Amino acid sequence: MGVVTELKSLTQDDLLSGCAEIVGAAHVMSGATDVSAPYCKDWTGQYAGIPLAVVRPKSTQEVADIVRLCCAHGVSIVPSGGRTGLCGGGVPVSDDTSIILSLERMNTIRNLDADGRCMTVEAGVVLQTAQDRAREDGLVFPLTFGAQGSAVIGGALSTNAGGSNVVRYGTTRELCIGIEAVLPDGSIINALTGLRKDNTGYDLKDLLIGAEGTLGIITAAVFKLSPMPVTRTTGFLSLASLSDAPRVLNALQDRTGGGVEAYEYMPAAAVEVICREFPKIRRPLDALAETGLFFEVASSRKDDAEAGEDGETRLQRLVFAALEQLMEEGVIIDAMIAQSEQQRLDLWGMRESILEAITANGSAYHTDISLPLAAIAEFVTTMDVAVAEMGFQPITVGHLGDGNLHYALSAAEGQDWAALPLDQAKQQIFALLTRLNGSFSAEHGIGQSKLDVMRKLKQPSQLVAMRAIKRALDPEGLMNPGKFIPETNDAAQKT
Amino acid sequence: MGVVTELKSLTQDDLLSGCAEIVGAAHVMSGATDVSAPYCKDWTGQYAGIPLAVVRPKSTQEVADIVRLCCAHGVSIVPSGGRTGLCGGGVPVSDDTSIILSLERMNTIRNLDADGRCMTVEAGVVLQTAQDRAREDGLVFPLTFGAQGSAVIGGALSTNAGGSNVVRYGTTRELCIGIEAVLPDGSIINALTGLRKDNTGYDLKDLLIGAEGTLGIITAAVFKLSPMPVTRTTGFLSLASLSDAPRVLNALQDRTGGGVEAYEYMPAAAVEVICREFPKIRRPLDALAETGLFFEVASSRKDDAEAGEDGETRLQRLVFAALEQLMEEGVIIDAMIAQSEQQRLDLWGMRESILEAITANGSAYHTDISLPLAAIAEFVTTMDVAVAEMGFQPITVGHLGDGNLHYALSAAEGQDWAALPLDQAKQQIFALLTRLNGSFSAEHGIGQSKLDVMRKLKQPSQLVAMRAIKRALDPEGLMNPGKFIPETNDAAQKT
């Protein structure tokens, strides 16, 4: 044992001094110190691992040099961004075997092309910083989600993050029109052209996006920017039936020319738990229906902001026209439209407090699933009954416009969480999801937490193809090992 | 020799009878007959190759069975669609070594989900058929280009086709939200869920799209559908300078809430050649400026179709407002707005006759390049002077909104095409393109015709990654060999 330890520590010293030569000693922190501690733990607190070192390169070339060095030492690399991931993707799976390569010093916004409406940012730029920069030029970098004050571009790309306005602007992948990356062999891919059309070879950009650092490290990206909305109409609806939700969405879209920026499912149970945990938050409607919907429509057309004689803007009148007809048809039971910026912010505040409310409410199981829009109602209706019978209280919210649900389970009143049959509930959730052609991972990633469901539910032919691609680009398996791709298929899988 | 020929023909017989067992004898045509002849030749007439057989499966399972059979025989496969490709991607590179696998019998529209606004179509469905089907439900399948009456879904996906409305709706890749495909090992990937968010693994969909059949055969796909525009405003502009084109585009976009559906570059030289070759076509403006632009703005907002007291629709008034300001600033010299559907169709007719006009005009060299919007003016201005000095007349059109130019060269008046220094001109075009971060292949594909420029200009690190992926998924190299990926890097390339 003594000899092995010595050998290892010698190798480790070599590695650390090599890293220090590349990035400077100040940016290499050995693994188990107070300074490196925040890098070793997942945001959820569920996953942790001690690296050989935390290394913080400042440039793409430094990232490439670190990757080459690690390959020479057979040391694996865990890329790290804003550390807001929810699936354990950014921490080592075992102690003292990897370095954590933090992109946080690569935080330069390299370029903003206002006429071409695109922006080139490095992987370590915080989302909010990128949003602010675009706003300075009167443009929108639309990627928006709760963790945007800490989450960085590289992490958003690597998990193909979504958020609350995907219905309007698309996922991170759809916003990105070019990347720069370091491949596992240390070579640099430069595809930062920002071209709207470029068919010169395989789509390496989209292969690396959403790959959670298992095929290489994204160091920078070009994003499309959109014109700034000049007006918004925000409100809350009670629907007679969840199955009407796609129809209501389409009516709002058509009337406003595709202006829906948020279309969020907030059923009575979700609003109740929010109002119970945060008594200052007011119910948007006195009587909450089972199917509550929070929506926001925006327009960048200046004339949509013009108020008529009644003081309502044109956009608001368009929204009213869409809703009126659906109310007459009995599809919408009740509707509330924010009449001031404060009312609008209150509605957003309610939407954004749901995760905290569920957490405060007690133990809970969270999911990040998606379904075809036409299958959402069947899923929720069937599942709500099934889990209630097991003693759970389902608390669902979701980006309904994208078919993305965060279907969560808590203990029903009087039930002991620890005694409830969670495995059975999960099994039923995933069985129904599979039958309805849903996805078990919509916008949070796979990381470590969903490896098991990936092994069970992902089509075997696709897993085989994924492993072949992984082996082709990372034959030694050094890029973010133990994440994303299960090593074996489930024996029970059909082939 | 006799023995070799016998052995080969025995193997070929085995193969053909095996294929016939799978798809039926009526759908296996041996290579050199009148019936199979149309499959053996490229649309351009430049590329041709005789297959062992043309095989026409009807189902995904039949495609998979054919792929397995061919693998067992070591026979390569050339997927074939509507045969409208421009780069020789759909014909064998050598005689008697491959089968042509035609997808034309897989021509079922499997499903149209009007509420979910998506449509599942097989690879052999003709584009126009898909467009018509969507229209029946009041929706738009937006993919639009000249060959849409013959081109099929599979070919559009495999080349990531573009067309004239990418500025509004995106490329084929961006429209597609799920695929079914047969991989080179004969396994079937089913990812036809139509989910708007699905992060379960590597993005195999986007890897297969644009891969020109070199990684597998796409058999079906799900596409997003859009609401049908209720009104359009179409016109022609003369700009003082091409460098103002992005500004004019942004002004139109902002004023109409992103309504621009076409934004096409039509300089005086292009309009002149059209009017010379087709005397019935009228100039859109009496005095043509060097920078001519054809545009169309559309809206699906019903109120945009309402005419005011002056008879102009709201959309038209918005367009006027955008143009007026730019005319006052001297950015736009002259503008024409179609005042009838006939005038609108005339403008489209002019745009769509350009390829025919250039062909009728004499020998020409065509390109399919793209550039960052900000670099378009520099490219055109510089290049136009350079090629004119060599004796060429440049005739450019292009989807300017996407930065996509079809920069073409013909002989200047009095010049003999055969004597002009075309290689020198090409060299200068690609050198400037490279310096300005442009792409040598925007929407037509690589096929055989751009293998050489791919070898010279594609970043070596990306070629290495591409070859690794190709080997991983198609180790025997049986899928559409001799296309898309050059076998060696250029010795002169930097690494």
Side-chain angles (χ1 to χ4, degrees):
Chain A
M1 275 299 277
V3 176
V4 172
T5 309
E6 256 175 9
L7 268 177
K8 190 177 153 197
S9 86
L10 183 70
T11 310
Q12 186 174 349
D13 285 350
D14 284 353
L15 177 75
L16 297 194
S17 65
C19 287
E21 267 176 48
I22 295 165
V23 303
H27 302 295
V28 180
M29 300 168 274
S30 71
T33 66
D34 285 355
V35 190
S36 62
Y39 297 86
C40 306
K41 205 170 169 183
D42 192 49
W43 187 85
T44 66
Q46 280 188 283
Y47 298 95
I50 298 169
L52 295 167
V54 176
V55 183
R56 309 189 315 152
K58 178 66 184 161
S59 69
T60 308
Q61 190 55 54
E62 285 184 9
V63 173
D65 291 344
I66 293 289
V67 168
R68 276 181 211 271
L69 181 74
C70 285
C71 284
H73 285 267
V75 170
S76 56
I77 298 169
V78 179
S80 169
R83 306 194 300 273
T84 59
L86 297 169
C87 303
V91 294
V93 290
S94 56
D95 290 345
D96 301 328
T97 56
S98 326
I99 67 154
I100 289 177
L101 189 152
S102 165
L103 278 302
E104 68 198 308
R105 289 178 66 230
M106 288 198 65
N107 58 359
T108 303
I109 294 175
R110 292 190 190 165
N111 179 46
L112 189 149
D113 172 2
D115 277 350
R117 297 205 161 161
C118 60
M119 177 168 67
T120 307
V121 292
E122 290 186 343
V125 171
V126 171
L127 246 56
Q128 205 162 288
T129 308
Q131 291 164 2
D132 291 346
R133 178 63 191 86
R135 204 172 291 121
E136 281 174 28
D137 276 56
L139 295 166
V140 175
F141 171 61
L143 193 60
T144 301
F145 51 82
Q148 65 197 24
S150 309
V152 299
I153 294 297
L157 285 163
S158 292
T159 54
N160 185 23
S164 60
N165 61 20
V166 170
V167 65
R168 173 70 174 265
Y169 299 101
T171 61
T172 307
R173 170 175 285 128
E174 291 164 279
L175 297 172
C176 177
I177 51 172
I179 61 164
E180 176 190 83
V182 173
L183 294 190
D185 64 2
S187 66
I188 296 169
I189 281 185
N190 182 335
L192 283 174
T193 53
L195 298 171
R196 305 293 167 123
K197 283 180 177 168
D198 181 16
N199 282 345
T200 58
Y202 296 141
D203 184 6
L204 301 177
K205 165 181 96 66
D206 287 318
L207 187 62
L208 284 160
I209 292 176
E212 299 187 14
T214 61
L215 297 178
I217 298 168
I218 298 172
T219 49
V222 191
F223 290 97
K224 290 188 272 194
L225 301 176
S226 294
M228 183 81 75
V230 291
T231 184
R232 299 171 194 276
T233 298
T234 311
F236 197 94
L237 308 174
S238 276
L239 300 199
S241 161
L242 181 53
S243 59
D244 288 326
R247 231 184 111 196
V248 174
L249 173 62
N250 290 338
L252 284 169
Q253 292 284 34
D254 292 354
R255 192 66 76 147
T256 63
V260 177
E261 298 225 334
Y263 194 69
E264 302 281 305
Y265 183 45
M266 298 208 69
V271 179
E272 288 301 343
V273 74
I274 291 169
C275 294
R276 192 166 64 235
E277 299 298 333
F278 302 105
K280 282 187 182 166
I281 292 179
R282 291 181 52 191
R283 279 168 184 68
L285 294 168
D286 290 334
L288 290 168
E290 199 43 58
T291 303
L293 279 168
F294 164 61
F295 75 91
E296 182 159 280
V297 178
S299 172
S300 56
R301 275 168 58 162
K302 289 189 190 69
D303 58 322
D304 281 340
E306 282 164 18
E309 282 175 20
D310 51 7
E312 282 162 1
T313 65
R314 179 176 182 81
L315 182 66
Q316 203 173 112
R317 290 197 299 278
L318 289 173
V319 169
F320 278 138
L323 300 181
E324 223 163 38
Q325 196 181 329
L326 291 162
M327 289 182 90
E328 278 168 25
E329 294 175 32
V331 169
I332 297 173
I333 301 169
D334 202 359
M336 171 265 189
I337 304 283
Q339 293 302 325
S340 67
E341 181 65 9
Q342 190 53 53
Q343 280 190 354
R344 174 181 170 253
L345 293 176
D346 287 348
L347 282 175
W348 271 109
M350 181 185 70
R351 169 62 186 90
E352 285 174 352
S353 63
I354 181 68
L355 186 59
E356 221 180 317
I358 295 176
T359 309
N361 180 59
S363 297
Y365 168 70
H366 296 269
T367 65
D368 169 36
I369 62 179
S370 68
L371 288 146
L373 290 187
I376 295 258
E378 181 178 351
F379 179 85
V380 171
T381 314
T382 310
M383 222 52 240
D384 278 2
V385 173
V387 300
E389 279 172 9
M390 296 180 205
F392 293 100
Q393 163 71 54
I395 310 173
T396 311
V397 288
H399 312 301
L400 197 60
D402 325 313
N404 179 191
L405 296 181
H406 298 302
Y407 191 82
L409 301 180
S410 63
E413 217 178 316
Q415 297 284 348
D416 172 18
W417 173 257
L420 292 175
L422 185 58
D423 282 342
Q424 191 191 336
K426 284 188 198 179
Q427 213 166 21
Q428 289 204 20
I429 287 172
F430 288 116
L432 185 57
L433 194 62
T434 304
R435 187 167 71 69
L436 296 173
N437 283 320
S439 163
F440 54 86
S441 177
E443 59 171 10
H444 294 167
I446 303 293
Q448 301 179 56
S449 68
K450 289 184 204 131
L451 266 183
D452 191 49
V453 61
M454 186 87 159
R455 188 173 62 243
K456 283 181 185 142
L457 296 186
K458 185 76 179 174
Q459 198 186 18
S461 59
Q462 294 190 56
L463 281 178
V464 168
M466 283 174 61
R467 288 197 199 101
I469 293 166
K470 169 73 176 173
R471 272 194 309 271
L473 295 183
D474 181 20
E476 307 298 326
L478 296 178
M479 300 306 299
N480 213 6
K483 324 272 169 67
F484 198 70
I485 311 181
E487 282 177 19
T488 56
N489 287 13
D490 195 305
Q493 277 187 323
K494 294 172 296 183
T495 49
Chain B
M1 274 298 280
V3 176
V4 172
T5 309
E6 255 177 11
L7 267 177
K8 190 178 153 196
S9 88
L10 182 71
T11 309
Q12 185 174 350
D13 286 349
D14 283 355
L15 177 75
L16 297 194
S17 66
C19 286
E21 266 175 50
I22 295 167
V23 303
H27 302 295
V28 180
M29 301 168 273
S30 70
T33 67
D34 284 355
V35 190
S36 62
Y39 298 85
C40 306
K41 205 171 171 184
D42 192 50
W43 188 85
T44 65
Q46 281 188 283
Y47 299 94
I50 298 168
L52 295 167
V54 177
V55 183
R56 309 189 316 151
K58 178 65 185 162
S59 68
T60 308
Q61 190 56 54
E62 285 183 9
V63 173
D65 291 344
I66 293 289
V67 168
R68 275 182 212 272
L69 182 73
C70 286
C71 284
H73 285 267
V75 169
S76 57
I77 298 169
V78 179
S80 169
R83 308 195 298 274
T84 59
L86 297 170
C87 303
V91 294
V93 291
S94 55
D95 290 346
D96 300 328
T97 56
S98 328
I99 67 154
I100 288 178
L101 190 152
S102 165
L103 278 302
E104 69 198 308
R105 288 177 66 230
M106 289 198 64
N107 57 359
T108 303
I109 294 175
R110 292 191 191 164
N111 178 48
L112 189 150
D113 173 1
D115 276 351
R117 298 203 161 163
C118 59
M119 177 168 68
T120 307
V121 293
E122 290 185 343
V125 171
V126 171
L127 246 57
Q128 206 162 289
T129 309
Q131 291 164 1
D132 291 346
R133 178 64 191 88
R135 204 172 291 122
E136 281 174 29
D137 275 57
L139 294 167
V140 175
F141 172 61
L143 193 59
T144 301
F145 50 83
Q148 66 198 23
S150 309
V152 299
I153 295 297
L157 286 163
S158 291
T159 54
N160 185 24
S164 60
N165 60 22
V166 170
V167 64
R168 173 70 173 265
Y169 299 102
T171 61
T172 308
R173 170 175 286 129
E174 291 163 279
L175 297 171
C176 176
I177 51 172
I179 61 163
E180 176 190 81
V182 173
L183 294 190
D185 64 1
S187 66
I188 296 169
I189 282 186
N190 182 335
L192 282 174
T193 53
L195 299 170
R196 305 294 166 122
K197 283 180 178 170
D198 181 15
N199 282 345
T200 59
Y202 296 140
D203 183 6
L204 300 178
K205 165 181 95 66
D206 287 318
L207 187 61
L208 284 160
I209 293 175
E212 299 188 14
T214 61
L215 297 178
I217 298 167
I218 297 172
T219 49
V222 191
F223 290 97
K224 290 188 272 195
L225 301 176
S226 295
M228 182 81 75
V230 292
T231 185
R232 299 170 194 276
T233 298
T234 310
F236 198 93
L237 308 174
S238 277
L239 301 199
S241 161
L242 182 53
S243 59
D244 287 326
R247 230 183 112 195
V248 174
L249 173 62
N250 291 337
L252 284 169
Q253 292 284 33
D254 292 355
R255 191 67 76 146
T256 63
V260 177
E261 298 225 334
Y263 194 70
E264 303 281 304
Y265 182 45
M266 297 208 71
V271 178
E272 288 302 343
V273 76
I274 291 169
C275 294
R276 191 166 64 234
E277 298 299 333
F278 303 104
K280 282 188 182 165
I281 293 180
R282 290 182 52 192
R283 280 169 183 68
L285 295 169
D286 291 333
L288 290 169
E290 198 44 58
T291 303
L293 279 167
F294 164 61
F295 75 92
E296 182 160 280
V297 178
S299 171
S300 56
R301 275 168 59 161
K302 288 190 190 69
D303 58 321
D304 281 340
E306 283 164 19
E309 282 174 21
D310 51 7
E312 283 163 0
T313 65
R314 180 177 182 80
L315 182 66
Q316 202 172 113
R317 288 196 299 278
L318 290 173
V319 169
F320 278 138
L323 300 182
E324 223 164 38
Q325 197 180 330
L326 292 162
M327 289 183 90
E328 279 168 24
E329 294 174 31
V331 169
I332 297 173
I333 300 168
D334 201 358
M336 171 266 188
I337 304 282
Q339 293 300 326
S340 67
E341 181 64 9
Q342 191 53 52
Q343 279 191 353
R344 175 182 169 252
L345 293 176
D346 287 348
L347 282 176
W348 271 109
M350 181 186 68
R351 169 62 185 90
E352 285 174 352
S353 62
I354 182 68
L355 186 58
E356 220 179 317
I358 294 176
T359 308
N361 181 58
S363 296
Y365 168 69
H366 295 269
T367 65
D368 169 35
I369 61 179
S370 68
L371 287 146
L373 291 187
I376 295 259
E378 181 178 351
F379 178 86
V380 172
T381 314
T382 310
M383 221 53 241
D384 277 2
V385 172
V387 299
E389 280 172 8
M390 296 179 205
F392 293 100
Q393 163 71 53
I395 309 172
T396 311
V397 287
H399 312 302
L400 197 60
D402 325 313
N404 179 189
L405 296 181
H406 298 303
Y407 191 83
L409 301 181
S410 64
E413 217 178 316
Q415 297 283 349
D416 171 17
W417 173 257
L420 292 175
L422 185 57
D423 281 343
Q424 190 192 336
K426 283 188 197 177
Q427 213 166 21
Q428 289 204 21
I429 287 173
F430 288 116
L432 184 57
L433 195 61
T434 305
R435 186 167 71 70
L436 295 174
N437 283 319
S439 163
F440 54 86
S441 176
E443 60 173 9
H444 293 169
I446 303 293
Q448 302 179 55
S449 68
K450 288 185 205 131
L451 266 183
D452 191 49
V453 60
M454 187 88 160
R455 187 173 62 245
K456 283 180 185 143
L457 295 185
K458 185 76 179 173
Q459 198 186 18
S461 59
Q462 295 190 56
L463 280 178
V464 168
M466 283 174 60
R467 287 197 199 100
I469 292 166
K470 169 74 175 173
R471 273 194 308 273
L473 294 183
D474 182 20
E476 307 298 326
L478 296 177
M479 301 304 300
N480 213 7
K483 324 272 169 67
F484 197 71
I485 311 181
E487 282 177 19
T488 56
N489 287 13
D490 195 306
Q493 277 188 325
K494 292 172 297 183
T495 47

